Amino acid sequence: MKKVILVTGGSSGIGKSICEYLHTRDYKVYGTSRNPDRYSDFDFNLIALDVTDEQSVERCIAEVMDQAGRIDVLINNAGAGITGPFEEVPNSEIRKNLETNFIGPVSMMKAVLPIMRKQNSGKIINITSIAAYMGLPFRGIYSSGKAALEVLTEAIRMEVKAFNIEVTNLAPGDFATNIAAGRFHSEVDPNSAYGETYGRILNEINEHVDSGRDPLEVAKAVEKIIRISQIKPHYTVGAFVQKFSVVLKSILPQKIFEKLLLRHHKL
Ligand SMILES: NC(=O)c1ccc[n+]([C@@H]2O[C@H](COP(=O)([O-])OP(=O)(O)OC[C@H]3O[C@@H](n4cnc5c(N)ncnc54)[C@H](OP(=O)(O)O)[C@@H]3O)[C@@H](O)[C@H]2O)c1
């Protein structure tokens, strides 16, 4: 029997790559979009979902259960970027981002866990970010939301272990997707105290995403996690230097690591 995989945010970037790859590997794949009607040429099923709307979450899960009768793997991929000088990012945008990047995955996990408990099996893979491991300047809100999801995963793992459910994080480095287009970013204001540094770093962030790696790499990492048993709490995927930064953060004295980040960003 084909494993049933639900991937939030299957319309573009990493989520689309995951859906396409798993579809070719003989899984039954359900991707999602807030506007599924916009996409007609997808090989996998694309259903409606806004992770910030609990009724939409319920409808999405019900639709998969109606069609497939089970959910073996949930991949919490839907997410959005947010950049800006912390002082200048409106709280309304911070709330919106955390609703998508943190509360959204929370709602999805709460909705699938009863199903997975009944099945006495299941896997949840939360797509976080290397940025979750370190507070990055002008990306503090993004780092925080992803870090919250990383730590929540550690806790949930222990609660659901008895039901044969495994939960993990997969943290990508930079991958070439549409994330910059959908991201909230504060305007670079030449009159702002942060105008020069933020403008420079925003350019760097955009260049990194544009020159990022092929999201197929993330899809392959996801499939590996689906196949193996006794998965670890945390995985990373991406360029060596980005994965290595996570290792450095865990072994270097805090002041040294911060100095490296300051030097890297010329702050
Ligand atoms: N690209 C990178 O370098 C990178 C690095 C680290 C982590 N990530 C993470 O990887 C994940 C995918 O990002 P991406 O780079 O592939 O970005 P992307 O190309 O912008 O794709 C984002 C996906 O999320 C969906 N989405 C956005 N808001 C949603 C909402 N409220 N409800 C449901 N779906 C929603 C979008 O679908 P619709 O617009 O069709 O609804 C789209 O399919 C995100 O969690 C991101 O934080 C990306």
Side-chain angles (χ1 to χ4, degrees), residues 113-154:
L113 279 173
I115 295 165
M116 291 181 172
R117 272 194 297 103
K118 244 186 230 162
Q119 291 170 180
N120 196 37
S121 72
K123 245 178 210 175
I124 299 175
I125 303 172
N126 290 320
I127 305 295
T128 57
S129 172
I130 298 266
Y133 288 85
M134 55 202 81
L136 292 174
F138 304 110
R139 275 166 289 177
I141 303 306
Y142 184 74
S143 284
S144 306
K146 294 292 188 178
L149 190 52
E150 287 263 340
V151 175
L152 179 65
T153 300
E154 291 179 359

mmCIF file of all heavy atoms in Angstrom, residues 113-154:
data_model
loop_
_atom_site.group_PDB
_atom_site.id
_atom_site.type_symbol
_atom_site.label_atom_id
_atom_site.label_comp_id
_atom_site.label_asym_id
_atom_site.label_seq_id
_atom_site.Cartn_x
_atom_site.Cartn_y
_atom_site.Cartn_z
ATOM 1 N N LEU A 113 -2.390 14.371 14.746
ATOM 2 C CA LEU A 113 -1.962 13.441 15.810
ATOM 3 C C LEU A 113 -3.052 12.439 16.219
ATOM 4 O O LEU A 113 -2.742 11.245 16.376
ATOM 5 C CB LEU A 113 -1.415 14.214 17.022
ATOM 6 C CG LEU A 113 0.038 14.683 16.853
ATOM 7 C CD1 LEU A 113 0.472 15.589 18.007
ATOM 8 C CD2 LEU A 113 1.013 13.513 16.719
ATOM 9 N N PRO A 114 -4.326 12.867 16.369
ATOM 10 C CA PRO A 114 -5.342 11.861 16.729
ATOM 11 C C PRO A 114 -5.447 10.748 15.677
ATOM 12 O O PRO A 114 -5.649 9.580 16.019
ATOM 13 C CB PRO A 114 -6.646 12.673 16.784
ATOM 14 C CG PRO A 114 -6.234 14.083 16.915
ATOM 15 C CD PRO A 114 -4.889 14.218 16.279
ATOM 16 N N ILE A 115 -5.269 11.138 14.409
ATOM 17 C CA ILE A 115 -5.337 10.143 13.317
ATOM 18 C C ILE A 115 -4.142 9.196 13.422
ATOM 19 O O ILE A 115 -4.287 7.971 13.348
ATOM 20 C CB ILE A 115 -5.344 10.869 11.945
ATOM 21 C CG1 ILE A 115 -6.618 11.691 11.804
ATOM 22 C CG2 ILE A 115 -5.172 9.885 10.793
ATOM 23 C CD1 ILE A 115 -6.582 12.710 10.674
ATOM 24 N N MET A 116 -2.973 9.753 13.639
ATOM 25 C CA MET A 116 -1.763 8.922 13.727
ATOM 26 C C MET A 116 -1.801 8.032 14.973
ATOM 27 O O MET A 116 -1.343 6.892 14.948
ATOM 28 C CB MET A 116 -0.510 9.806 13.701
ATOM 29 C CG MET A 116 -0.286 10.463 12.346
ATOM 30 S SD MET A 116 1.213 11.477 12.329
ATOM 31 C CE MET A 116 1.322 11.879 10.577
ATOM 32 N N ARG A 117 -2.368 8.565 16.076
ATOM 33 C CA ARG A 117 -2.487 7.728 17.290
ATOM 34 C C ARG A 117 -3.367 6.529 17.013
ATOM 35 O O ARG A 117 -3.086 5.409 17.412
ATOM 36 C CB ARG A 117 -3.039 8.546 18.454
ATOM 37 C CG ARG A 117 -1.971 9.260 19.256
ATOM 38 C CD ARG A 117 -2.458 9.781 20.594
ATOM 39 N NE ARG A 117 -3.495 10.787 20.471
ATOM 40 C CZ ARG A 117 -4.785 10.586 20.682
ATOM 41 N NH1 ARG A 117 -5.226 9.397 21.042
ATOM 42 N NH2 ARG A 117 -5.653 11.579 20.531
ATOM 43 N N LYS A 118 -4.484 6.760 16.311
ATOM 44 C CA LYS A 118 -5.401 5.656 15.976
ATOM 45 C C LYS A 118 -4.714 4.632 15.081
ATOM 46 O O LYS A 118 -4.895 3.434 15.231
ATOM 47 C CB LYS A 118 -6.638 6.215 15.259
ATOM 48 C CG LYS A 118 -7.911 6.000 16.052
ATOM 49 C CD LYS A 118 -9.112 6.413 15.262
ATOM 50 C CE LYS A 118 -9.971 7.326 16.128
ATOM 51 N NZ LYS A 118 -10.922 8.108 15.375
ATOM 52 N N GLN A 119 -3.918 5.142 14.140
ATOM 53 C CA GLN A 119 -3.193 4.258 13.216
ATOM 54 C C GLN A 119 -2.062 3.507 13.940
ATOM 55 O O GLN A 119 -1.556 2.512 13.465
ATOM 56 C CB GLN A 119 -2.530 5.086 12.101
ATOM 57 C CG GLN A 119 -3.472 5.726 11.135
ATOM 58 C CD GLN A 119 -2.783 6.725 10.196
ATOM 59 O OE1 GLN A 119 -3.444 7.315 9.368
ATOM 60 N NE2 GLN A 119 -1.482 6.940 10.316
ATOM 61 N N ASN A 120 -1.674 4.065 15.108
ATOM 62 C CA ASN A 120 -0.475 3.609 15.833
ATOM 63 C C ASN A 120 0.777 3.706 14.949
ATOM 64 O O ASN A 120 1.693 2.905 15.058
ATOM 65 C CB ASN A 120 -0.643 2.186 16.377
ATOM 66 C CG ASN A 120 0.410 1.884 17.445
ATOM 67 O OD1 ASN A 120 0.769 2.751 18.231
ATOM 68 N ND2 ASN A 120 0.941 0.675 17.419
ATOM 69 N N SER A 121 0.809 4.732 14.120
ATOM 70 C CA SER A 121 2.003 5.003 13.317
ATOM 71 C C SER A 121 1.876 6.379 12.674
ATOM 72 O O SER A 121 0.758 6.864 12.427
ATOM 73 C CB SER A 121 2.186 3.948 12.226
ATOM 74 O OG SER A 121 1.230 4.128 11.225
ATOM 75 N N GLY A 122 3.025 6.959 12.386
ATOM 76 C CA GLY A 122 3.019 8.252 11.688
ATOM 77 C C GLY A 122 4.344 8.967 11.854
ATOM 78 O O GLY A 122 5.128 8.653 12.757
ATOM 79 N N LYS A 123 4.566 9.882 10.924
ATOM 80 C CA LYS A 123 5.787 10.690 10.979
ATOM 81 C C LYS A 123 5.421 12.143 10.686
ATOM 82 O O LYS A 123 4.594 12.397 9.792
ATOM 83 C CB LYS A 123 6.771 10.218 9.904
ATOM 84 C CG LYS A 123 8.037 9.628 10.463
ATOM 85 C CD LYS A 123 8.975 9.119 9.406
ATOM 86 C CE LYS A 123 9.766 7.963 10.001
ATOM 87 N NZ LYS A 123 10.629 7.297 9.086
ATOM 88 N N ILE A 124 6.055 13.051 11.399
ATOM 89 C CA ILE A 124 5.857 14.477 11.129
ATOM 90 C C ILE A 124 7.241 15.092 10.904
ATOM 91 O O ILE A 124 8.140 14.907 11.729
ATOM 92 C CB ILE A 124 5.143 15.182 12.299
ATOM 93 C CG1 ILE A 124 3.755 14.568 12.523
ATOM 94 C CG2 ILE A 124 5.046 16.684 12.031
ATOM 95 C CD1 ILE A 124 3.020 15.110 13.738
ATOM 96 N N ILE A 125 7.373 15.777 9.772
ATOM 97 C CA ILE A 125 8.653 16.438 9.464
ATOM 98 C C ILE A 125 8.388 17.936 9.374
ATOM 99 O O ILE A 125 7.636 18.392 8.505
ATOM 100 C CB ILE A 125 9.239 15.907 8.129
ATOM 101 C CG1 ILE A 125 9.409 14.376 8.191
ATOM 102 C CG2 ILE A 125 10.577 16.597 7.827
ATOM 103 C CD1 ILE A 125 9.790 13.732 6.858
ATOM 104 N N ASN A 126 8.975 18.676 10.288
ATOM 105 C CA ASN A 126 8.803 20.130 10.278
ATOM 106 C C ASN A 126 9.969 20.775 9.537
ATOM 107 O O ASN A 126 11.130 20.598 9.918
ATOM 108 C CB ASN A 126 8.740 20.652 11.721
ATOM 109 C CG ASN A 126 7.453 20.229 12.403
ATOM 110 O OD1 ASN A 126 6.386 20.233 11.781
ATOM 111 N ND2 ASN A 126 7.532 19.844 13.663
ATOM 112 N N ILE A 127 9.642 21.503 8.475
ATOM 113 C CA ILE A 127 10.692 22.198 7.719
ATOM 114 C C ILE A 127 10.967 23.522 8.438
ATOM 115 O O ILE A 127 10.123 24.421 8.447
ATOM 116 C CB ILE A 127 10.271 22.456 6.251
ATOM 117 C CG1 ILE A 127 9.860 21.146 5.545
ATOM 118 C CG2 ILE A 127 11.396 23.173 5.482
ATOM 119 C CD1 ILE A 127 10.953 20.119 5.352
ATOM 120 N N THR A 128 12.123 23.598 9.060
ATOM 121 C CA THR A 128 12.458 24.818 9.814
ATOM 122 C C THR A 128 13.470 25.623 8.995
ATOM 123 O O THR A 128 13.214 25.954 7.856
ATOM 124 C CB THR A 128 12.986 24.443 11.215
ATOM 125 O OG1 THR A 128 14.117 23.581 11.078
ATOM 126 C CG2 THR A 128 11.887 23.766 12.025
ATOM 127 N N SER A 129 14.648 25.864 9.549
ATOM 128 C CA SER A 129 15.666 26.633 8.819
ATOM 129 C C SER A 129 16.959 26.605 9.620
ATOM 130 O O SER A 129 16.925 26.524 10.856
ATOM 131 C CB SER A 129 15.212 28.089 8.657
ATOM 132 O OG SER A 129 16.255 28.868 8.114
ATOM 133 N N ILE A 130 18.076 26.728 8.913
ATOM 134 C CA ILE A 130 19.358 26.898 9.620
ATOM 135 C C ILE A 130 19.262 28.148 10.494
ATOM 136 O O ILE A 130 19.872 28.226 11.562
ATOM 137 C CB ILE A 130 20.519 27.029 8.594
ATOM 138 C CG1 ILE A 130 20.644 25.773 7.735
ATOM 139 C CG2 ILE A 130 21.834 27.420 9.281
ATOM 140 C CD1 ILE A 130 21.595 24.719 8.146
ATOM 141 N N ALA A 131 18.449 29.126 10.037
ATOM 142 C CA ALA A 131 18.278 30.378 10.794
ATOM 143 C C ALA A 131 17.633 30.134 12.162
ATOM 144 O O ALA A 131 17.631 31.023 13.013
ATOM 145 C CB ALA A 131 17.433 31.361 9.995
ATOM 146 N N ALA A 132 17.074 28.928 12.369
ATOM 147 C CA ALA A 132 16.470 28.616 13.669
ATOM 148 C C ALA A 132 17.525 28.412 14.744
ATOM 149 O O ALA A 132 17.243 28.497 15.930
ATOM 150 C CB ALA A 132 15.631 27.342 13.550
ATOM 151 N N TYR A 133 18.740 28.117 14.310
ATOM 152 C CA TYR A 133 19.798 27.775 15.267
ATOM 153 C C TYR A 133 20.544 28.988 15.785
ATOM 154 O O TYR A 133 21.381 28.877 16.661
ATOM 155 C CB TYR A 133 20.797 26.798 14.616
ATOM 156 C CG TYR A 133 20.213 25.419 14.443
ATOM 157 C CD1 TYR A 133 19.446 25.097 13.332
ATOM 158 C CD2 TYR A 133 20.412 24.450 15.419
ATOM 159 C CE1 TYR A 133 18.900 23.842 13.182
ATOM 160 C CE2 TYR A 133 19.867 23.186 15.280
ATOM 161 C CZ TYR A 133 19.118 22.886 14.164
ATOM 162 O OH TYR A 133 18.581 21.647 14.025
ATOM 163 N N MET A 134 20.286 30.147 15.190
ATOM 164 C CA MET A 134 21.021 31.354 15.589
ATOM 165 C C MET A 134 20.178 32.585 15.257
ATOM 166 O O MET A 134 19.513 32.625 14.219
ATOM 167 C CB MET A 134 22.369 31.424 14.850
ATOM 168 C CG MET A 134 22.242 31.356 13.357
ATOM 169 S SD MET A 134 23.745 30.825 12.501
ATOM 170 C CE MET A 134 23.680 29.044 12.676
ATOM 171 N N GLY A 135 20.176 33.545 16.141
ATOM 172 C CA GLY A 135 19.468 34.790 15.849
ATOM 173 C C GLY A 135 20.244 35.544 14.789
ATOM 174 O O GLY A 135 21.393 35.917 15.010
ATOM 175 N N LEU A 136 19.628 35.740 13.630
ATOM 176 C CA LEU A 136 20.342 36.429 12.549
ATOM 177 C C LEU A 136 19.878 37.879 12.472
ATOM 178 O O LEU A 136 18.674 38.153 12.538
ATOM 179 C CB LEU A 136 20.086 35.720 11.220
ATOM 180 C CG LEU A 136 20.701 34.323 11.109
ATOM 181 C CD1 LEU A 136 20.278 33.638 9.816
ATOM 182 C CD2 LEU A 136 22.226 34.397 11.190
ATOM 183 N N PRO A 137 20.813 38.833 12.320
ATOM 184 C CA PRO A 137 20.426 40.240 12.298
ATOM 185 C C PRO A 137 19.443 40.544 11.161
ATOM 186 O O PRO A 137 19.618 40.049 10.050
ATOM 187 C CB PRO A 137 21.757 40.981 12.081
ATOM 188 C CG PRO A 137 22.718 39.949 11.591
ATOM 189 C CD PRO A 137 22.253 38.635 12.121
ATOM 190 N N PHE A 138 18.417 41.300 11.487
ATOM 191 C CA PHE A 138 17.351 41.711 10.563
ATOM 192 C C PHE A 138 16.458 40.540 10.132
ATOM 193 O O PHE A 138 15.635 40.682 9.251
ATOM 194 C CB PHE A 138 17.923 42.456 9.340
ATOM 195 C CG PHE A 138 18.752 43.652 9.739
ATOM 196 C CD1 PHE A 138 20.130 43.659 9.576
ATOM 197 C CD2 PHE A 138 18.148 44.757 10.318
ATOM 198 C CE1 PHE A 138 20.895 44.749 9.979
ATOM 199 C CE2 PHE A 138 18.893 45.853 10.723
ATOM 200 C CZ PHE A 138 20.276 45.849 10.554
ATOM 201 N N ARG A 139 16.664 39.384 10.755
ATOM 202 C CA ARG A 139 15.801 38.219 10.516
ATOM 203 C C ARG A 139 15.377 37.588 11.837
ATOM 204 O O ARG A 139 15.094 36.396 11.906
ATOM 205 C CB ARG A 139 16.543 37.168 9.673
ATOM 206 C CG ARG A 139 16.458 37.420 8.184
ATOM 207 C CD ARG A 139 17.447 36.585 7.441
ATOM 208 N NE ARG A 139 18.804 37.069 7.669
ATOM 209 C CZ ARG A 139 19.898 36.490 7.172
ATOM 210 N NH1 ARG A 139 19.796 35.402 6.447
ATOM 211 N NH2 ARG A 139 21.097 36.995 7.395
ATOM 212 N N GLY A 140 15.386 38.406 12.881
ATOM 213 C CA GLY A 140 15.143 37.879 14.229
ATOM 214 C C GLY A 140 13.790 37.198 14.368
ATOM 215 O O GLY A 140 13.668 36.170 15.044
ATOM 216 N N ILE A 141 12.772 37.752 13.715
ATOM 217 C CA ILE A 141 11.424 37.176 13.867
ATOM 218 C C ILE A 141 11.368 35.823 13.151
ATOM 219 O O ILE A 141 10.817 34.853 13.676
ATOM 220 C CB ILE A 141 10.343 38.138 13.296
ATOM 221 C CG1 ILE A 141 10.435 39.502 13.980
ATOM 222 C CG2 ILE A 141 8.943 37.534 13.421
ATOM 223 C CD1 ILE A 141 10.374 39.482 15.493
ATOM 224 N N TYR A 142 11.958 35.767 11.974
ATOM 225 C CA TYR A 142 11.995 34.495 11.226
ATOM 226 C C TYR A 142 12.748 33.446 12.045
ATOM 227 O O TYR A 142 12.266 32.323 12.235
ATOM 228 C CB TYR A 142 12.664 34.723 9.873
ATOM 229 C CG TYR A 142 12.679 33.503 8.976
ATOM 230 C CD1 TYR A 142 11.527 33.062 8.340
ATOM 231 C CD2 TYR A 142 13.858 32.782 8.789
ATOM 232 C CE1 TYR A 142 11.545 31.932 7.525
ATOM 233 C CE2 TYR A 142 13.887 31.654 7.973
ATOM 234 C CZ TYR A 142 12.732 31.240 7.342
ATOM 235 O OH TYR A 142 12.748 30.118 6.542
ATOM 236 N N SER A 143 13.953 33.823 12.544
ATOM 237 C CA SER A 143 14.740 32.898 13.363
ATOM 238 C C SER A 143 13.911 32.419 14.563
ATOM 239 O O SER A 143 13.913 31.229 14.892
ATOM 240 C CB SER A 143 16.005 33.582 13.888
ATOM 241 O OG SER A 143 16.980 33.708 12.878
ATOM 242 N N SER A 144 13.190 33.346 15.205
ATOM 243 C CA SER A 144 12.444 32.997 16.427
ATOM 244 C C SER A 144 11.328 32.000 16.158
ATOM 245 O O SER A 144 11.149 31.040 16.909
ATOM 246 C CB SER A 144 11.819 34.249 17.047
ATOM 247 O OG SER A 144 12.786 35.221 17.265
ATOM 248 N N GLY A 145 10.559 32.237 15.088
ATOM 249 C CA GLY A 145 9.437 31.343 14.774
ATOM 250 C C GLY A 145 9.925 29.940 14.463
ATOM 251 O O GLY A 145 9.357 28.936 14.913
ATOM 252 N N LYS A 146 11.005 29.865 13.706
ATOM 253 C CA LYS A 146 11.545 28.550 13.330
ATOM 254 C C LYS A 146 12.187 27.874 14.540
ATOM 255 O O LYS A 146 12.104 26.652 14.701
ATOM 256 C CB LYS A 146 12.561 28.704 12.192
ATOM 257 C CG LYS A 146 11.942 29.177 10.880
ATOM 258 C CD LYS A 146 11.028 28.128 10.283
ATOM 259 C CE LYS A 146 10.550 28.485 8.898
ATOM 260 N NZ LYS A 146 9.712 27.453 8.295
ATOM 261 N N ALA A 147 12.842 28.676 15.410
ATOM 262 C CA ALA A 147 13.453 28.108 16.622
ATOM 263 C C ALA A 147 12.371 27.555 17.543
ATOM 264 O O ALA A 147 12.535 26.484 18.145
ATOM 265 C CB ALA A 147 14.264 29.182 17.341
ATOM 266 N N ALA A 148 11.246 28.262 17.629
ATOM 267 C CA ALA A 148 10.137 27.784 18.475
ATOM 268 C C ALA A 148 9.653 26.420 17.985
ATOM 269 O O ALA A 148 9.393 25.512 18.778
ATOM 270 C CB ALA A 148 8.993 28.807 18.448
ATOM 271 N N LEU A 149 9.574 26.272 16.679
ATOM 272 C CA LEU A 149 9.113 24.998 16.103
ATOM 273 C C LEU A 149 10.133 23.883 16.376
ATOM 274 O O LEU A 149 9.761 22.742 16.673
ATOM 275 C CB LEU A 149 8.888 25.189 14.601
ATOM 276 C CG LEU A 149 8.185 24.082 13.824
ATOM 277 C CD1 LEU A 149 6.867 23.679 14.473
ATOM 278 C CD2 LEU A 149 7.957 24.520 12.374
ATOM 279 N N GLU A 150 11.414 24.226 16.299
ATOM 280 C CA GLU A 150 12.466 23.231 16.583
ATOM 281 C C GLU A 150 12.320 22.703 18.011
ATOM 282 O O GLU A 150 12.387 21.502 18.253
ATOM 283 C CB GLU A 150 13.859 23.877 16.426
ATOM 284 C CG GLU A 150 14.267 24.151 14.999
ATOM 285 C CD GLU A 150 15.162 23.053 14.404
ATOM 286 O OE1 GLU A 150 15.760 22.290 15.170
ATOM 287 O OE2 GLU A 150 15.231 22.983 13.164
ATOM 288 N N VAL A 151 12.130 23.622 18.960
ATOM 289 C CA VAL A 151 12.086 23.204 20.373
ATOM 290 C C VAL A 151 10.778 22.465 20.675
ATOM 291 O O VAL A 151 10.769 21.474 21.405
ATOM 292 C CB VAL A 151 12.265 24.433 21.300
ATOM 293 C CG1 VAL A 151 12.106 24.025 22.758
ATOM 294 C CG2 VAL A 151 13.638 25.050 21.090
ATOM 295 N N LEU A 152 9.687 22.934 20.066
ATOM 296 C CA LEU A 152 8.407 22.240 20.260
ATOM 297 C C LEU A 152 8.515 20.793 19.793
ATOM 298 O O LEU A 152 8.020 19.868 20.444
ATOM 299 C CB LEU A 152 7.299 22.971 19.489
ATOM 300 C CG LEU A 152 5.910 22.349 19.589
ATOM 301 C CD1 LEU A 152 5.382 22.406 21.020
ATOM 302 C CD2 LEU A 152 4.924 23.049 18.654
ATOM 303 N N THR A 153 9.194 20.605 18.679
ATOM 304 C CA THR A 153 9.375 19.251 18.132
ATOM 305 C C THR A 153 10.061 18.344 19.156
ATOM 306 O O THR A 153 9.658 17.185 19.343
ATOM 307 C CB THR A 153 10.215 19.316 16.835
ATOM 308 O OG1 THR A 153 9.525 20.120 15.887
ATOM 309 C CG2 THR A 153 10.481 17.941 16.251
ATOM 310 N N GLU A 154 11.085 18.896 19.819
ATOM 311 C CA GLU A 154 11.806 18.094 20.817
ATOM 312 C C GLU A 154 10.847 17.603 21.905
ATOM 313 O O GLU A 154 10.940 16.468 22.365
ATOM 314 C CB GLU A 154 12.921 18.932 21.471
ATOM 315 C CG GLU A 154 14.073 19.254 20.528
ATOM 316 C CD GLU A 154 15.154 20.105 21.203
ATOM 317 O OE1 GLU A 154 15.002 20.460 22.393
ATOM 318 O OE2 GLU A 154 16.150 20.421 20.529
#
